[in-house]
Amino acid sequence: MGGVSNASLPLPSADRADVAASLRRALLGADFTADGLLELLGASAYAALARSETVPALRATRGDGALAALVRLFLLQETVPHARVADVLPLDALLESGWLAERDGELRATVDVRPYGGPNGEDWFIVSDLGCAVGGAGGIGSHDEGVVLGVGGASTTLAGITVRTPVDSALDLGTGSGIQALHAAQHATRVTATDLNPRALEFTRLTLGLSGAPEADLREGSLFEPVGEETYDLIVSNPPFVISPGARLTYRDGGMGGDDLCRTLVQEAGTRLNEGGYAHFLANWQHVDGEEWQDRLRSWVPRGCDAWIVQREVQDITQYAELWLRDAGDHREDPTRYAARYEAWLDEFEARGTRAVGFGWITLRKTGAAEPSITVEEWPHPVEQPLGETVREFFDRQEYLRTHDDAALLAAHFKLADEVVQEQVGLPGAEDPEHVVLRQHRGMRRATKVDTVGAGFAGVCDGSLSAGRILDAIAQLVGEDPVLLRDRTPAQIRLLVEQGFLLPVQA
């Protein structure tokens, strides 16, 4: 790139829908898709690309095939001879509209075009700045304030946890290269996408056009300012959540003190959601001396909303500073400058009493309930993506539990969720286990301890008998007073329902 700023490079014309459509046909015709790449590169080189490691892919594309040439051109940012792709791509239109540039018979791409497989097998393409794929030990190495990144782990995580029920309106706040807007366009009648960076809005238009998706209503501005008082059925945001000393890089630094940007987004989402609507955010939050992090996050939840907040990871302040210094490539610069920037991060954290930073996701559901359900938990263990349906079911169960007291629970019918297994834990040869564990193999993949009554109760729940009748039978079997058993068991039933081990069914 010769040191040229990404943000100063002209973008392809987003107004030429015909060119985007013809490029899409050409890419699909050459099998430039997620499946096609996996077959060409092999699993190892394909996985390395997700880490921004290109050497294995370069080795795998030394051949003469059209797909290899397209991978080198659009993914690896290599120059390709005009003659190699003249029969594959509509070159005149691509050169005229700015998707490609040519010099001395050599073509180069002006943007990164990355195949992306949709949830139902769709062939999509994410368009972003050159050299700004997310991941890799070296970071993207860009200090360009206006740079627009492609697909990374955060993007796919947010897409995976989003509830995908059909809705009238959806808002992608801080759209970046447009991946969340692309997903939303599949189940929302109307999609609005906003970003403070006008260049990001152009990339979103390119992503949607090249993916064959409907156009979105694109608006420039910060936070909820571009949408005024409009309300939505779905809000998603992968915001610039990094807690940093100053707004140095637009794509990651929020420009507010500490975790104020994430707090503001969550708190203001309540008035922008329609009844029954969902809001999904990725966020970072401070762990501050003298304050429980769970209490900090509970204070963010807006009135009238249920919330499920999951902390997936925690880093101490030195780990956190090093992560984002490397993300910007600062570790490859002058050691004195690197040390000064590191000191600035630590000074910022010290001034705020921050000892660690949490990473995770926040989901709101607008219910208007007088007594909202707010769950804040730590779950660093592997989960099964996509989780959107798991998230929807979680909030449905919260609503069920809110409207059913203990007497109603005992009168209700339940069934054991699919793919739940029981494990008995104890010393080898012991007559009875020390405790029993129920474990899920889907969704959140939870595990929870239960007593023998809880295990026996869950094991016979098939929807045919009420909870009270099952407990009466267990009481007779173990010789316990059925009244006392009915009094002490609803709390355990409530927990098993909340965590998804037991599902309410119609009698």
Side-chain angles (χ1 to χ4, degrees), residues 257-395:
D259 51 20
D260 282 355
L261 181 133
C262 291
R263 175 185 57 79
T264 299
L265 274 179
V266 174
Q267 289 181 336
E268 293 187 357
T271 58
R272 297 334 197 278
L273 275 177
N274 294 327
E275 192 75 14
Y278 288 91
H280 302 274
F281 304 97
L282 299 187
N284 283 184
W285 44 79
Q286 298 171 114
H287 286 225
V288 179
D289 290 330
E291 176 188 59
E292 295 295 330
W293 67 270
Q294 296 94 332
D295 292 340
R296 184 181 192 85
L297 290 171
R298 285 190 187 96
S299 73
W300 292 9
V301 179
R303 180 175 300 179
C305 290
D306 289 352
W308 185 17
I309 302 172
V310 181
Q311 180 168 271
R312 298 286 289 153
E313 183 182 358
V314 181
Q315 290 187 343
D316 69 41
I317 56 174
T318 58
Q319 292 174 308
Y320 190 80
E322 290 162 12
L323 169 67
W324 297 110
L325 287 167
R326 287 179 173 272
D327 171 78
D330 291 325
H331 61 303
R332 297 195 294 267
E333 290 192 351
D334 174 66
T336 302
R337 185 180 304 166
Y338 174 81
R341 286 180 171 151
Y342 200 150
E343 287 274 8
W345 284 72
L346 298 184
D347 288 344
E348 177 76 7
F349 287 134
E350 183 178 342
R352 295 182 176 276
T354 303
R355 65 179 185 275
V357 177
F359 298 67
W361 64 68
I362 297 173
T363 299
L364 307 176
R365 186 184 187 189
K366 186 70 171 287
T367 64
E371 297 182 6
S373 166
I374 301 176
T375 300
V376 184
E377 62 176 323
E378 186 164 21
W379 191 253
H381 312 293
V383 299
E384 181 189 49
Q385 285 276 32
L387 277 170
E389 187 63 14
T390 298
V391 173
R392 186 193 64 78
E393 292 171 349
F394 174 87
F395 282 95

Side-chain angles (χ1 to χ4, degrees), residues 128-199:
S128 63
D129 267 315
L130 293 172
C132 291
V134 180
I140 67 165
S142 174
H143 295 167
D144 192 337
E145 181 180 336
V147 72
V148 177
L149 272 59
V151 179
S155 303
T156 54
T157 294
L158 180 59
I161 67 172
T162 300
V163 174
R164 297 296 175 192
T165 53
V167 295
D168 178 61
S169 57
L171 170 64
D172 176 14
L173 196 152
T175 186
S177 55
I179 179 175
Q180 309 305 328
L182 180 57
H183 276 277
Q186 311 310 304
H187 63 104
T189 304
R190 175 172 57 88
V191 177
T192 302
T194 71
D195 205 290
L196 181 64
N197 181 3
R199 188 176 177 84

Side-chain angles (χ1 to χ4, degrees), residues 12 26 95 188 194 206 211 235 260 267 322 336 452 468 490 493:
L95 288 166
T194 71
L206 294 170
S211 298
I235 299 172
D260 282 355
Q267 289 181 336
E322 290 162 12
T336 302
T452 53
I493 296 175

